[in-house]
Amino acid sequence: MAASYPEFIWQNGKIKPWAEATVHVMAHALHYGSSVFEGIRSYETPKGPAIFRLTDHLKRLYLSAKIYDIVIPYTIDELAAACREVILKNKLTKAYLRPVAFRGLGGFGLSADTPTDVAVATWEMGPYLGPGVLEAGIDACVSSWQRMAPNTIPTGAKAGGNYLSGQLIAREARRLGFGEGIALASTGLLSEGAGENLFLVFDGQLHTTPASAAILNGITRHTLITLARENGIEVIERDMPREYLYLADEIFMCGTAAEVTPIRSVDGKPVGEGKAGPLTRRMQQWFFGLFDGKTEDRWNWLDPVG
Ligand code: PMP
Protein backbone atom coordinates (compact mmCIF):
# COMPACT_ATOMS: atom_id res chain seq x y z
CA MET A 1 0.00 0.00 0.00
CA ALA A 2 1.16 3.53 -0.81
CA ALA A 3 2.85 5.52 1.97
CA SER A 4 0.37 8.33 1.47
CA TYR A 5 -3.05 7.34 2.77
CA PRO A 6 -6.48 8.22 1.43
CA GLU A 7 -8.25 11.08 3.14
CA PHE A 8 -11.30 9.34 4.58
CA ILE A 9 -12.36 6.08 6.19
CA TRP A 10 -15.76 4.82 7.36
CA GLN A 11 -15.79 3.73 10.99
CA ASN A 12 -18.79 2.66 13.05
CA GLY A 13 -21.29 4.53 10.93
CA LYS A 14 -19.32 7.73 10.29
CA ILE A 15 -16.91 9.03 7.68
CA LYS A 16 -13.75 10.19 9.45
CA PRO A 17 -10.32 11.49 8.49
CA TRP A 18 -7.96 8.51 8.04
CA ALA A 19 -5.78 9.50 11.02
CA GLU A 20 -8.74 9.50 13.41
CA ALA A 21 -9.84 5.91 12.70
CA THR A 22 -8.04 4.39 15.69
CA VAL A 23 -8.74 1.51 18.11
CA HIS A 24 -7.75 0.82 21.71
CA VAL A 25 -4.62 -1.32 22.28
CA MET A 26 -6.74 -3.66 24.40
CA ALA A 27 -9.21 -4.38 21.60
CA HIS A 28 -9.91 -8.14 21.65
CA ALA A 29 -9.04 -8.63 17.96
CA LEU A 30 -5.54 -7.23 18.37
CA HIS A 31 -4.70 -9.96 20.88
CA TYR A 32 -6.68 -12.92 19.62
CA GLY A 33 -7.14 -12.45 15.86
CA SER A 34 -10.92 -12.07 16.30
CA SER A 35 -11.69 -10.07 13.18
CA VAL A 36 -13.40 -10.89 9.91
CA PHE A 37 -12.81 -8.93 6.77
CA GLU A 38 -13.20 -8.71 3.02
CA GLY A 39 -11.10 -7.58 0.09
CA ILE A 40 -13.15 -6.12 -2.76
CA ARG A 41 -12.15 -4.23 -5.91
CA SER A 42 -13.81 -1.46 -7.81
CA TYR A 43 -13.06 -0.85 -11.47
CA GLU A 44 -13.53 1.90 -14.00
CA THR A 45 -16.09 0.51 -16.48
CA PRO A 46 -17.75 1.98 -19.60
CA LYS A 47 -20.84 2.57 -17.39
CA GLY A 48 -18.81 4.35 -14.69
CA PRO A 49 -16.99 3.10 -11.58
CA ALA A 50 -18.40 -0.17 -10.27
CA ILE A 51 -17.70 -2.47 -7.33
CA PHE A 52 -17.19 -6.10 -8.32
CA ARG A 53 -19.51 -8.60 -6.60
CA LEU A 54 -20.07 -6.30 -3.63
CA THR A 55 -23.06 -8.19 -2.22
CA ASP A 56 -21.33 -11.57 -2.57
CA HIS A 57 -18.32 -10.26 -0.65
CA LEU A 58 -20.50 -8.77 2.08
CA LYS A 59 -22.50 -12.00 2.37
CA ARG A 60 -19.21 -13.84 2.93
CA LEU A 61 -18.28 -11.27 5.59
CA TYR A 62 -21.47 -12.06 7.52
CA LEU A 63 -20.91 -15.81 7.17
CA SER A 64 -17.33 -15.46 8.43
CA ALA A 65 -18.72 -13.47 11.38
CA LYS A 66 -21.36 -16.13 12.04
CA ILE A 67 -18.69 -18.80 12.45
CA TYR A 68 -17.09 -16.76 15.25
CA ASP A 69 -20.34 -15.40 16.80
CA ILE A 70 -19.28 -11.87 15.84
CA VAL A 71 -22.43 -9.77 15.61
CA ILE A 72 -22.21 -7.07 12.94
CA PRO A 73 -24.51 -4.23 13.99
CA TYR A 74 -25.31 -3.14 10.41
CA THR A 75 -27.26 -4.64 7.56
CA ILE A 76 -25.60 -5.75 4.32
CA ASP A 77 -27.29 -2.77 2.60
CA GLU A 78 -25.82 -0.36 5.15
CA LEU A 79 -22.32 -1.75 4.67
CA ALA A 80 -22.76 -1.70 0.89
CA ALA A 81 -23.68 1.99 1.17
CA ALA A 82 -20.59 2.55 3.35
CA CYS A 83 -18.41 0.92 0.66
CA ARG A 84 -19.81 3.24 -2.02
CA GLU A 85 -19.58 6.29 0.22
CA VAL A 86 -15.94 5.76 1.15
CA ILE A 87 -14.94 5.38 -2.52
CA LEU A 88 -16.85 8.52 -3.49
CA LYS A 89 -15.48 10.56 -0.56
CA ASN A 90 -11.93 9.62 -1.51
CA LYS A 91 -12.65 10.34 -5.20
CA LEU A 92 -11.35 6.89 -6.17
CA THR A 93 -12.48 4.74 -9.08
CA LYS A 94 -10.08 1.79 -9.46
CA ALA A 95 -9.68 0.89 -5.82
CA TYR A 96 -9.42 -1.87 -3.24
CA LEU A 97 -12.02 -1.92 -0.47
CA ARG A 98 -11.42 -3.39 2.97
CA PRO A 99 -14.47 -3.86 5.21
CA VAL A 100 -13.44 -5.25 8.60
CA ALA A 101 -15.52 -6.21 11.66
CA PHE A 102 -13.76 -7.08 14.88
CA ARG A 103 -14.16 -7.68 18.57
CA GLY A 104 -13.33 -4.35 20.13
CA LEU A 105 -12.68 -3.16 23.67
CA GLY A 106 -14.95 -4.71 26.29
CA GLY A 107 -13.46 -7.87 27.74
CA PHE A 108 -10.18 -9.73 27.93
CA GLY A 109 -11.40 -13.33 28.13
CA LEU A 110 -11.32 -15.48 25.01
CA SER A 111 -15.10 -15.88 25.02
CA ALA A 112 -15.86 -12.29 26.03
CA ASP A 113 -18.87 -10.79 24.26
CA THR A 114 -17.25 -7.57 23.24
CA PRO A 115 -18.87 -4.88 21.09
CA THR A 116 -18.15 -5.23 17.38
CA ASP A 117 -16.27 -2.39 15.70
CA VAL A 118 -16.73 -2.05 11.95
CA ALA A 119 -14.71 -0.06 9.44
CA VAL A 120 -14.44 0.25 5.68
CA ALA A 121 -11.20 1.53 4.21
CA THR A 122 -10.29 1.99 0.58
CA TRP A 123 -7.14 2.75 -1.35
CA GLU A 124 -5.76 2.64 -4.84
CA MET A 125 -4.13 -0.66 -5.67
CA GLY A 126 -2.33 -1.99 -8.76
CA PRO A 127 -1.37 -5.66 -9.31
CA TYR A 128 -0.98 -7.26 -5.87
CA LEU A 129 2.01 -9.46 -6.63
CA GLY A 130 4.05 -6.66 -8.26
CA PRO A 131 4.22 -4.59 -11.44
CA GLY A 132 4.06 -6.54 -14.70
CA VAL A 133 3.08 -9.87 -13.10
CA LEU A 134 -0.24 -10.13 -14.93
CA GLU A 135 1.70 -10.33 -18.20
CA ALA A 136 4.97 -12.00 -17.17
CA GLY A 137 3.68 -14.34 -14.49
CA ILE A 138 5.38 -15.16 -11.20
CA ASP A 139 7.82 -17.75 -9.92
CA ALA A 140 6.10 -19.67 -7.11
CA CYS A 141 7.31 -22.23 -4.58
CA VAL A 142 5.65 -24.86 -2.44
CA SER A 143 5.71 -23.61 1.12
CA SER A 144 7.23 -25.55 3.98
CA TRP A 145 4.15 -24.40 5.95
CA GLN A 146 0.92 -26.38 5.56
CA ARG A 147 -2.59 -24.98 5.79
CA MET A 148 -4.64 -25.60 8.91
CA ALA A 149 -6.22 -29.06 9.36
CA PRO A 150 -10.01 -28.94 8.84
CA ASN A 151 -10.89 -29.44 12.50
CA THR A 152 -8.56 -26.70 13.76
CA ILE A 153 -9.20 -23.25 12.26
CA PRO A 154 -11.89 -22.99 9.58
CA THR A 155 -10.36 -21.74 6.32
CA GLY A 156 -13.85 -21.04 4.99
CA ALA A 157 -13.98 -17.97 7.25
CA LYS A 158 -12.03 -14.93 6.10
CA ALA A 159 -10.85 -14.19 9.63
CA GLY A 160 -7.86 -12.13 10.74
CA GLY A 161 -6.26 -15.02 12.63
CA ASN A 162 -6.14 -17.18 9.48
CA TYR A 163 -3.72 -14.73 7.97
CA LEU A 164 -0.93 -15.77 10.32
CA SER A 165 -0.77 -18.83 8.07
CA GLY A 166 -0.83 -16.60 5.00
CA GLN A 167 1.97 -14.44 6.41
CA LEU A 168 4.22 -17.45 7.07
CA ILE A 169 3.68 -18.72 3.53
CA ALA A 170 4.05 -15.35 1.78
CA ARG A 171 7.05 -14.18 3.83
CA GLU A 172 8.94 -17.45 3.41
CA ALA A 173 8.36 -17.29 -0.36
CA ARG A 174 9.61 -13.68 -0.60
CA ARG A 175 12.62 -14.45 1.64
CA LEU A 176 13.62 -17.26 -0.71
CA GLY A 177 13.20 -15.02 -3.76
CA PHE A 178 9.84 -16.31 -5.03
CA GLY A 179 6.81 -14.25 -6.02
CA GLU A 180 4.35 -16.30 -3.95
CA GLY A 181 4.06 -19.48 -1.91
CA ILE A 182 1.65 -22.36 -2.51
CA ALA A 183 0.51 -24.32 0.52
CA LEU A 184 -0.31 -27.98 0.86
CA ALA A 185 -3.22 -29.03 3.04
CA SER A 186 -2.70 -31.19 6.14
CA THR A 187 -3.56 -34.14 3.86
CA GLY A 188 -0.37 -33.44 1.89
CA LEU A 189 -2.48 -32.54 -1.16
CA LEU A 190 -2.54 -29.13 -2.86
CA SER A 191 -4.40 -26.34 -1.11
CA GLU A 192 -3.95 -22.75 -2.41
CA GLY A 193 -1.64 -19.74 -2.43
CA ALA A 194 -1.00 -17.53 0.59
CA GLY A 195 -3.89 -15.30 -0.48
CA GLU A 196 -5.05 -16.80 -3.77
CA ASN A 197 -6.87 -19.82 -5.14
CA LEU A 198 -5.15 -22.10 -7.59
CA PHE A 199 -5.99 -23.37 -11.10
CA LEU A 200 -4.02 -25.94 -13.10
CA VAL A 201 -4.57 -26.63 -16.81
CA PHE A 202 -4.35 -30.14 -18.25
CA ASP A 203 -5.30 -30.75 -21.90
CA GLY A 204 -7.41 -27.61 -22.11
CA GLN A 205 -9.38 -28.39 -18.94
CA LEU A 206 -9.24 -26.37 -15.74
CA HIS A 207 -8.57 -28.16 -12.47
CA THR A 208 -8.97 -26.35 -9.17
CA THR A 209 -8.68 -27.52 -5.58
CA PRO A 210 -11.98 -28.16 -3.78
CA ALA A 211 -13.45 -26.33 -0.77
CA SER A 212 -12.35 -29.30 1.39
CA ALA A 213 -8.66 -28.65 0.57
CA ALA A 214 -8.34 -25.96 3.29
CA ILE A 215 -9.04 -23.10 0.87
CA LEU A 216 -10.98 -19.90 1.18
CA ASN A 217 -13.93 -20.33 -1.17
CA GLY A 218 -12.87 -17.48 -3.41
CA ILE A 219 -15.23 -15.19 -5.25
CA THR A 220 -12.73 -14.76 -8.09
CA ARG A 221 -12.46 -18.57 -8.26
CA HIS A 222 -16.25 -18.76 -8.60
CA THR A 223 -16.18 -15.99 -11.23
CA LEU A 224 -13.56 -17.84 -13.29
CA ILE A 225 -15.38 -21.18 -13.01
CA THR A 226 -18.55 -19.46 -14.26
CA LEU A 227 -16.77 -17.67 -17.14
CA ALA A 228 -14.91 -20.83 -18.19
CA ARG A 229 -18.05 -23.00 -18.24
CA GLU A 230 -19.91 -20.24 -20.08
CA ASN A 231 -17.22 -20.48 -22.77
CA GLY A 232 -17.33 -24.26 -23.02
CA ILE A 233 -14.23 -24.99 -20.92
CA GLU A 234 -14.57 -27.95 -18.58
CA VAL A 235 -13.78 -27.16 -14.94
CA ILE A 236 -13.04 -29.92 -12.45
CA GLU A 237 -12.87 -29.32 -8.69
CA ARG A 238 -10.62 -32.02 -7.33
CA ASP A 239 -7.85 -32.95 -4.95
CA MET A 240 -4.43 -32.93 -6.57
CA PRO A 241 -1.01 -34.10 -5.39
CA ARG A 242 1.95 -31.72 -5.30
CA GLU A 243 3.64 -33.16 -8.39
CA TYR A 244 0.74 -31.94 -10.54
CA LEU A 245 2.37 -28.53 -10.18
CA TYR A 246 5.28 -29.93 -12.19
CA LEU A 247 3.07 -31.74 -14.71
CA ALA A 248 0.48 -29.06 -15.53
CA ASP A 249 0.46 -27.36 -18.94
CA GLU A 250 -0.40 -24.02 -17.29
CA ILE A 251 -1.02 -22.72 -13.77
CA PHE A 252 -2.51 -19.49 -12.52
CA MET A 253 -3.56 -18.00 -9.21
CA CYS A 254 -6.61 -15.89 -8.63
CA GLY A 255 -8.07 -13.63 -6.00
CA THR A 256 -9.51 -10.17 -5.61
CA ALA A 257 -6.05 -8.70 -5.05
CA ALA A 258 -4.12 -11.08 -7.37
CA GLU A 259 -6.87 -11.00 -10.06
CA VAL A 260 -5.64 -13.63 -12.57
CA THR A 261 -1.87 -14.05 -12.16
CA PRO A 262 -0.01 -16.59 -14.33
CA ILE A 263 2.56 -18.85 -12.65
CA ARG A 264 5.58 -19.39 -14.90
CA SER A 265 7.57 -21.68 -12.61
CA VAL A 266 7.12 -23.71 -9.43
CA ASP A 267 10.12 -24.64 -7.28
CA GLY A 268 12.41 -23.55 -10.11
CA LYS A 269 10.76 -25.88 -12.66
CA PRO A 270 9.11 -24.15 -15.64
CA VAL A 271 5.34 -24.49 -15.96
CA GLY A 272 4.70 -25.51 -19.58
CA GLU A 273 6.78 -23.16 -21.71
CA GLY A 274 7.71 -21.02 -18.72
CA LYS A 275 5.29 -18.21 -19.54
CA ALA A 276 1.56 -17.51 -19.35
CA GLY A 277 -0.20 -20.17 -21.42
CA PRO A 278 -3.06 -19.74 -23.91
CA LEU A 279 -5.93 -20.72 -21.60
CA THR A 280 -4.54 -18.47 -18.84
CA ARG A 281 -4.55 -15.60 -21.35
CA ARG A 282 -8.13 -16.34 -22.33
CA MET A 283 -9.20 -16.48 -18.68
CA GLN A 284 -7.57 -13.07 -18.18
CA GLN A 285 -9.37 -11.68 -21.24
CA TRP A 286 -12.77 -12.97 -20.07
CA PHE A 287 -12.16 -11.74 -16.53
CA PHE A 288 -10.82 -8.26 -17.33
CA GLY A 289 -13.40 -8.05 -20.13
CA LEU A 290 -16.03 -7.70 -17.40
CA PHE A 291 -14.51 -4.31 -16.59
CA ASP A 292 -13.83 -2.94 -20.07
CA GLY A 293 -17.19 -4.12 -21.37
CA LYS A 294 -15.84 -6.88 -23.65
CA THR A 295 -17.39 -9.60 -21.47
CA GLU A 296 -21.12 -9.13 -20.97
CA ASP A 297 -21.99 -8.98 -17.25
CA ARG A 298 -24.93 -11.36 -17.41
CA TRP A 299 -24.80 -11.93 -13.66
CA ASN A 300 -25.10 -8.31 -12.45
CA TRP A 301 -21.73 -8.63 -10.78
CA LEU A 302 -20.92 -4.94 -11.34
CA ASP A 303 -22.45 -2.71 -8.69
CA PRO A 304 -22.33 0.98 -9.68
CA VAL A 305 -20.53 3.24 -7.19
CA GLY A 306 -22.52 6.38 -7.98
N1 PMP B 1 -7.56 -17.70 -0.53
C1 PMP B 1 -7.15 -16.86 0.41
C2 PMP B 1 -6.45 -17.40 1.60
C3 PMP B 1 -7.39 -15.49 0.29
O1 PMP B 1 -6.98 -14.64 1.25
C4 PMP B 1 -8.06 -14.99 -0.85
C5 PMP B 1 -8.28 -13.52 -1.01
N2 PMP B 1 -9.46 -13.10 -0.39
C6 PMP B 1 -8.48 -15.91 -1.81
C7 PMP B 1 -8.21 -17.26 -1.63
C8 PMP B 1 -9.25 -15.47 -3.01
O2 PMP B 1 -10.55 -15.08 -2.62
P1 PMP B 1 -11.35 -13.95 -3.41
O3 PMP B 1 -11.32 -14.34 -4.84
O4 PMP B 1 -12.72 -14.04 -2.84
O5 PMP B 1 -10.69 -12.67 -3.17
Side-chain angles (χ1 to χ4, degrees):
M1 177 172 179
S4 66
Y5 299 117
E7 218 174 329
F8 299 107
I9 197 162
W10 183 99
Q11 190 183 24
N12 297 328
K14 292 191 196 83
I15 291 279
K16 295 181 177 179
W18 179 279
E20 288 174 24
T22 54
V23 295
H24 198 277
V25 293
M26 291 312 293
H28 196 273
L30 193 57
H31 299 257
Y32 306 129
S34 37
S35 65
V36 292
F37 67 97
E38 273 303 319
I40 313 174
R41 272 191 192 259
S42 65
Y43 290 90
E44 184 75 69
T45 78
K47 293 182 185 156
I51 305 176
F52 187 56
R53 303 196 65 172
L54 174 61
T55 308
D56 293 324
H57 278 283
L58 293 178
K59 278 185 186 160
R60 187 172 67 185
L61 180 76
Y62 282 75
L63 291 174
S64 299
K66 182 179 179 188
I67 291 176
Y68 287 102
D69 304 323
I70 292 174
V71 179
I72 301 179
Y74 300 97
T75 62
I76 288 197
D77 286 349
E78 284 168 333
L79 280 195
C83 289
R84 291 190 197 98
E85 190 182 2
V86 80
I87 288 187
L88 286 170
K89 278 274 179 197
N90 285 300
K91 299 190 177 65
L92 292 171
T93 48
K94 197 174 180 322
Y96 184 83
L97 272 162
R98 169 56 56 81
V100 59
F102 57 96
R103 291 196 182 280
L105 183 67
F108 309 126
L110 285 179
S111 63
D113 281 322
T114 55
T116 307
D117 281 356
V118 186
V120 184
T122 186
W123 61 89
E124 235 179 282
M125 190 165 80
Y128 169 64
L129 294 168
V133 295
L134 297 178
E135 296 76 35
I138 59 157
D139 301 306
C141 63
V142 173
S143 181
S144 68
W145 294 102
Q146 287 183 343
R147 281 299 198 200
M148 292 76 81
N151 54 350
T152 59
I153 291 182
T155 58
K158 193 167 170 64
N162 292 28
Y163 286 79
L164 287 172
S165 160
Q167 288 175 58
L168 289 169
I169 296 163
R171 295 189 72 91
E172 179 187 65
R174 307 289 190 287
R175 193 164 59 244
L176 299 177
F178 293 96
E180 186 58 301
I182 297 169
L184 303 179
S186 61
T187 53
L189 298 167
L190 287 180
S191 177
E192 61 173 354
E196 309 85 9
N197 292 126
L198 197 58
F199 281 86
L200 283 70
V201 178
F202 290 99
D203 296 326
Q205 292 178 336
L206 285 175
H207 297 241
T208 189
T209 49
S212 54
I215 66 167
L216 177 73
N217 207 341
I219 289 168
T220 316
R221 174 184 180 276
H222 177 265
T223 302
L224 297 181
I225 291 173
T226 306
L227 290 172
R229 288 188 174 146
E230 178 80 6
N231 285 283
I233 306 291
E234 193 168 339
V235 186
I236 303 159
E237 296 180 62
R238 57 175 302 202
D239 275 320
M240 286 176 275
R242 171 176 180 167
E243 66 270 23
Y244 276 31
L245 293 172
Y246 313 135
L247 301 176
D249 303 324
E250 304 175 33
I251 307 179
F252 57 86
M253 287 179 152
C254 73
T256 298
E259 298 170 308
V260 182
T261 301
I263 297 185
R264 63 184 178 195
S265 74
V266 180
D267 295 333
K269 296 175 197 277
V271 175
E273 292 177 12
K275 56 181 191 187
L279 186 50
T280 306
R281 287 276 178 242
R282 274 153 74 204
M283 295 306 305
Q284 286 182 322
Q285 279 160 15
W286 292 327
F287 178 73
F288 290 110
L290 287 164
F291 315 122
D292 63 18
K294 290 192 181 123
T295 301
E296 190 194 345
D297 176 21
R298 296 202 301 99
W299 306 269
N300 286 322
W301 282 334
L302 295 170
D303 205 309
V305 174

